[in-house]
Amino acid sequence: QKEVEQNSGPLSVPEGAIASLNCTYSDRGSQSFFWYRQYSGKSPELIMFIYSNGDKEDGRFTAQLNKASQYVSLLIRDSQPSDSATYLCAVGRDAGNMLTFGGGTRLMVKP
Amino acid sequence: GAVVSQHPSWVICKSGTSVKIECRSLDFQATTMFWYRQFPKQSLMLMATSNEGSKATYEQGVEKDKFLINHASLTLSTLTVTSAHPEDSSFYICSASDRLGNQPQHFGDGTRLSIL
């Protein structure tokens, strides 16, 4: 059983729309949650991290965490074609320690 | 933000060659570095966790004698793929976190290894 689950996609949204990416995890002891963006052939780039229940906003990105439901999501407002990439959800017990990655969701933003 | 440098970015070599990949944290002290491998269209797979001054912890199924990891300082970890074969061809990525574990993992740019 995978510990971090993501829909592989592709998730296709029109330019300017809100893209909603979801992730569920199985380890109830998880305390730190991360979203990474990975362009094809490149290494992952940290976009957001969240440690507490609720929402955290940074520019066009909002991370949402619900520990009771073991669910974390990433919203991208005003999606741009340059947002097209694979988004990896990662979960860990500590911020800097071992993370478990989901399989990633491929997002396609169409002009 | 935290910067992790990985070198080389691309290696092409003959089967049987040993290849060393370096991972450096440029602006923070990385007590822990992680080595991942990613095959095409697959997610990151953790290979090993490297703590400064101690032996690396390898994930199940990863041969420690084939993938040698050294983390001799707080800013440098190396992964050596010994006697590489075509099936070792992959994208190898390191990441690092700081002494207190407060820094989210930041990734190097990755090393694309192609074994002929």
Side-chain angles (χ1 to χ4, degrees), chain B residues 38-56:
Chain B
Q38 187 175 37
F39 292 105
K41 299 191 178 182
Q42 294 187 24
S43 189
L44 295 171
M45 296 299 296
L46 179 66
M47 298 176 67
T49 301
S50 166
N51 291 299
E52 183 262 338
S54 63
K55 290 184 178 180

Side-chain angles (χ1 to χ4, degrees), chain A residues 34 36 38 43 95-97 99 102, chain B residues 36 38 43 97 101 104-105 107-108:
Chain A
F34 305 85
Y36 288 86
Q38 186 176 26
S43 69
N97 290 314
L99 297 179
Chain B
Y36 296 86
Q38 187 175 37
S43 189
S97 66
Q105 287 186 37
F107 286 85

Side-chain angles (χ1 to χ4, degrees), chain A residues 2 34 36 38 40-46 49 51 88 94-99 101-104, chain B residues 32 34 36 38 42-44 46 49 59 91 93 97 101-110 112:
Chain A
K2 278 190 118 177
F34 305 85
Y36 288 86
Q38 186 176 26
S40 181
K42 302 293 185 182
S43 69
E45 171 193 8
L46 181 67
F49 58 90
Y51 302 146
L88 301 170
D94 301 294
N97 290 314
M98 193 180 81
L99 297 179
F101 283 82
Chain B
T32 306
F34 304 87
Y36 296 86
Q38 187 175 37
Q42 294 187 24
S43 189
L44 295 171
L46 179 66
T49 301
E59 294 300 300
F91 191 42
I93 315 172
S97 66
N102 291 329
Q103 189 79 253
Q105 287 186 37
H106 288 267
F107 286 85
D109 287 338
R112 192 160 301 284

Side-chain angles (χ1 to χ4, degrees), chain A residues 19-45:
Chain A
S20 178
L21 304 161
N22 304 315
C23 172
T24 57
Y25 60 94
S26 60
D27 183 0
R28 284 198 170 274
S30 301
Q31 297 294 328
S32 54
F33 307 86
F34 305 85
W35 284 100
Y36 288 86
R37 176 176 63 198
Q38 186 176 26
Y39 292 111
S40 181
K42 302 293 185 182
S43 69
E45 171 193 8

Side-chain angles (χ1 to χ4, degrees), chain B residues 22-112:
Chain B
E22 292 187 350
C23 181
R24 294 180 185 272
S25 57
L26 298 185
D27 55 356
F28 68 100
Q29 293 186 324
T31 47
T32 306
M33 289 186 173
F34 304 87
W35 288 96
Y36 296 86
R37 180 166 53 183
Q38 187 175 37
F39 292 105
K41 299 191 178 182
Q42 294 187 24
S43 189
L44 295 171
M45 296 299 296
L46 179 66
M47 298 176 67
T49 301
S50 166
N51 291 299
E52 183 262 338
S54 63
K55 290 184 178 180
T57 302
Y58 290 81
E59 294 300 300
Q60 191 173 11
V62 178
E63 299 176 57
K64 61 182 179 182
D65 294 330
K66 182 168 184 65
F67 299 99
L68 302 178
I69 292 172
N70 183 284
H71 191 164
S73 77
L74 284 170
T75 59
L76 173 65
S77 176
T78 61
L79 167 67
T80 301
V81 183
T82 61
S83 187
H85 292 284
E87 59 267 28
D88 298 322
S89 299
S90 189
F91 191 42
Y92 291 85
I93 315 172
C94 72
S95 73
S97 66
D98 73 351
R99 179 181 291 277
L100 297 177
N102 291 329
Q103 189 79 253
Q105 287 186 37
H106 288 267
F107 286 85
D109 287 338
T111 297
R112 192 160 301 284

